[in-house]
Amino acid sequence: MNRQELDSDAVLRTQRVVRVTWTGFFINALLSIAKILAGFFGNSAAMIADGIHSVSDFVTDIIVLVFVKISGKGSDESHRYGHGKFETFATFLVSFALLAVGFMILFKGITSVISILRGDLPQAPTMLALIAAMVSIIVKELLFRYTRHVGNSINSQAVIANAWHHRSDAFSSIGTLIGIGGAILLGGKFVILDPFASIVVSIFILKVAIQIGMPSINELLERSLPKETEDRIVDIILHTDGVKSYHKLKTRKIGNLIAIDVHVQLPQEISFIASHEVATSIERSLRGQFGAQTQINIHTEPV
C-alpha cells in the first residue's frame, strides 16, 4: 500500500469519526434541553441533574471532534510519527470527564440520601419526568451501540470512549427512572430510591472511566505492547528466511497504530542487498499482521 492510499484511508477514517461524533452532539443537545425542561415542569430534581449530566457529553463530543481531526493528519516536520497521540490524549480527557461526572453523581446521591434520612422529603415528581427518563435510556443506548460499532470498525479508542460516555448517560437515566418511578408509585420515604440508585449508577460510571482511561495513560507513558503482541512480533521475525536472532525489541502505541524497533541478526557473509531484502520481508509481514500504517524500524547486523 503506497503513501497516497494510506493518506486516503486516514481521511476516510477521520470523516467517519467526525460524522458519528456530530450525530452524538446534536442528539445530546436535544436530549439535554428536553430533560432539563421535563425536570423543571415535571417537578424532578433528579431529571434536572440528569439533564445537566447530558450537557457533559457536549464537552466530550467537542474534545473528540477537535483532537481526532488533528490525529488524522499524516507525519510532518514536527511530528515524524504522525499525530496519533492526539487521539490518545482525547481518550484520556474523555475518561477524566467520565470520572468527574461519576464522582459528582456519587456525591450528590450520598448527600440526598442523608437529607432524606433526616426527614427532608422532596416533592414527588410527575409522569412527564418518568417518560423523559424512559426516552433518554432508549435513545442513549441506541447512540452508544452506533458509536461503539463505528469506533470498533475504525479502531478508534477516542470514539469508543465517547460511546461509553453515552452509555453512562443511559445508566444515569436508569437511576433517575427507578427513583422517579418509586417516588410516583410508592411515595413518602421511598423517594430515597432516586439518590440510592444514582449511587449505584455512579459506581458503574467510575468503573468504565478507569477501564477506558488506563490504556490511554499507559500509551502516553510509552508502555510496551502486551506480551502476547510482542510474542507475535518475535514469531514473525524469527520465521523470516535469513534471520538468525534478534535483540533490543522496543514497542509502543501511537494512537490507533503501533511502532516497532528491533535489531535483527543475519549471517555475516550476507550481502547488503540481501540484508535489505530480509528487512523488507519482515516489514511486509509485520504490516500484514498489524496494519499498513505500522511504524517499523529494523537495524540489521551480522551475527
Side-chain angles (χ1 to χ4, degrees), residues 6 257-258 283 285-296:
L6 292 177
L257 55 87
I258 67 174
E283 290 179 1
S285 298
L286 289 173
R287 290 197 171 100
Q289 179 71 37
F290 300 105
Q293 292 182 302
T294 302
Q295 299 280 353
I296 304 171

Side-chain angles (χ1 to χ4, degrees), residues 19-224:
R19 189 184 306 120
V20 69
T21 307
W22 272 117
T23 300
F25 181 87
F26 287 115
I27 291 176
N28 286 328
L30 294 174
L31 268 182
S32 299
I33 295 171
K35 288 198 282 190
I36 291 174
L37 290 176
F40 181 78
F41 291 107
N43 193 37
S44 173
M47 180 51 65
I48 293 175
D50 197 25
I52 294 173
H53 176 208
S54 293
V55 173
S56 70
D57 283 353
F58 282 111
V59 179
T60 60
D61 287 334
I62 292 172
I63 288 172
V64 172
L65 282 170
V66 172
F67 283 92
V68 174
K69 193 167 185 178
I70 295 174
S71 73
K73 296 180 180 179
S75 59
D76 56 28
E77 292 184 1
S78 301
H79 302 84
R80 296 296 185 182
Y81 285 94
H83 296 73
K85 285 291 180 72
F86 283 89
E87 182 171 338
T88 305
F89 187 57
T91 305
F92 170 74
L93 291 179
V94 171
S95 67
F96 183 79
L98 272 175
L99 202 67
V101 169
F103 277 118
M104 181 182 68
I105 296 175
L106 177 64
F107 177 77
K108 187 178 183 303
I110 293 174
T111 55
S112 297
V113 167
I114 294 173
S115 178
I116 293 172
L117 291 175
R118 289 176 176 173
D120 185 11
L121 301 180
Q123 189 175 354
T126 67
M127 287 297 296
L128 176 62
L130 186 69
I131 293 172
M134 294 174 64
V135 172
S136 175
I137 293 169
I138 295 172
V139 172
K140 294 298 289 191
E141 179 63 20
L142 291 175
L143 186 58
F144 159 75
R145 291 175 182 271
Y146 167 59
T147 306
R148 185 182 62 172
H149 170 72
V150 173
N152 286 330
S153 66
I154 61 177
N155 191 27
S156 171
Q157 292 304 312
V159 173
I160 294 172
N162 204 28
W164 280 103
H165 201 170
H166 293 320
R167 175 164 273 189
S168 78
D169 204 10
F171 285 158
S172 177
S173 294
I174 290 174
T176 303
L177 177 68
I178 294 173
I180 293 173
I184 293 175
L185 297 175
L186 302 175
K189 288 191 174 183
F190 281 99
V191 293
I192 201 173
L193 288 174
D194 183 4
F196 182 77
S198 70
I199 292 174
V200 176
V201 170
S202 70
I203 295 173
F204 282 104
I205 294 174
L206 293 173
K207 181 174 179 288
V208 169
I210 294 172
Q211 286 177 336
I212 67 175
M214 287 307 299
S216 64
I217 292 174
N218 289 333
E219 185 176 335
L220 290 171
L221 295 178
E222 301 287 341
R223 183 172 181 174
S224 299

